[in-house]
Every structure is written in C-alpha cells, then in structure tokens.
C-alpha cells in the first residue's frame, strides 16, 4: 500500500510516470523502508498505465463489494429497542460492584 500511495503522490505532483527512484525518494523522505521486490511488483503492475484509468477500474471493482449498508439499517431499529433494556443492565452492574466490594472482606489486598 505504501508503494501505491507514493506512486499516487508522485502522480499528483505532476510526474505522469514515476520511476522506482522517485518512489524510493518519497518513502525515504518520511522514514519508510523500501522492499525492492515489492516495489518492483507494483511498478510492473502500473507500468504503461494511466493512473486515472487504474483508479476508475478500482472504483468499479469496489462498487461490487458489499459494504454492510443493510446491516446499519437493521441495527438502528435494535438500538431504539435497546433503550428499554438499559435499566436491567444498570442493576446488574450495581450488583457486580457490590460483589467486588465484598472481596475486600477477605483480609488481604493484592496491592498492600
């Protein structure tokens, strides 16, 4: 991902065809190490391609990925109904805290 990000930065800076040296320069300027093998793979995948076309193709692929939008709609209804269940949960917390306090009666402490 770092190599793609550096490639995009170079492209946005006006370099239509960044070289491996350009990518290494960008990454080293922010203290990020470079794996030459991974960089060569990314450069091979992007060589000769217009970055705008690559981004458009990636956007089309991401459009087909489920993003969980349906779950959020049903989760909202559960949250509205969950308001009534908050009171028993508070009572349970009070009971738990009373039980924790009763542990102090054992005559010793872990932190003394």
């Amino acid at each position: 991902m770092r190599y793609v990000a550096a490639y995009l930065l170079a492209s946005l800076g006006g370099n239509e065809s960044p070289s491996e040296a350009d990518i290494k320069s960008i990454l080293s300027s922010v203290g990020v190490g470079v794996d030459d093998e991974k960089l060569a793979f990314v450069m091979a995948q992007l060589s000769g391609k217009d970055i705008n076309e690559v981004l458009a193709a990636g956007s089309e692929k991401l459009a087909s990925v489920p993003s969980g939008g349906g779950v959020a709609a049903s989760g909202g209804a559960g949250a509205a109904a969950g308001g009534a269940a908050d009171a028993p949960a508070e009572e349970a917390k009070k009971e738990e805290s009373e039980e924790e306090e009763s542990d102090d009666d054992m005559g010793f402490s872990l932190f003394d």
Side-chain angles (χ1 to χ4, degrees), residues 6 38 68 72 104:
K38 290 180 181 179
D104 292 337

Side-chain angles (χ1 to χ4, degrees), residues 91-103:
E91 291 176 14
K93 287 182 182 178
K94 289 180 184 176
E95 290 176 12
E96 289 176 15
S97 64
E98 290 175 8
E99 290 175 11
E100 290 175 8
E101 291 174 6
S102 67
D103 289 345

Side-chain angles (χ1 to χ4, degrees), residues 65-73:
V65 175
S67 62
V71 175

Side-chain angles (χ1 to χ4, degrees), residues 55-67:
L55 290 174
S59 294
E60 289 175 10
K61 289 180 182 180
L62 285 177
S64 66
V65 175
S67 62

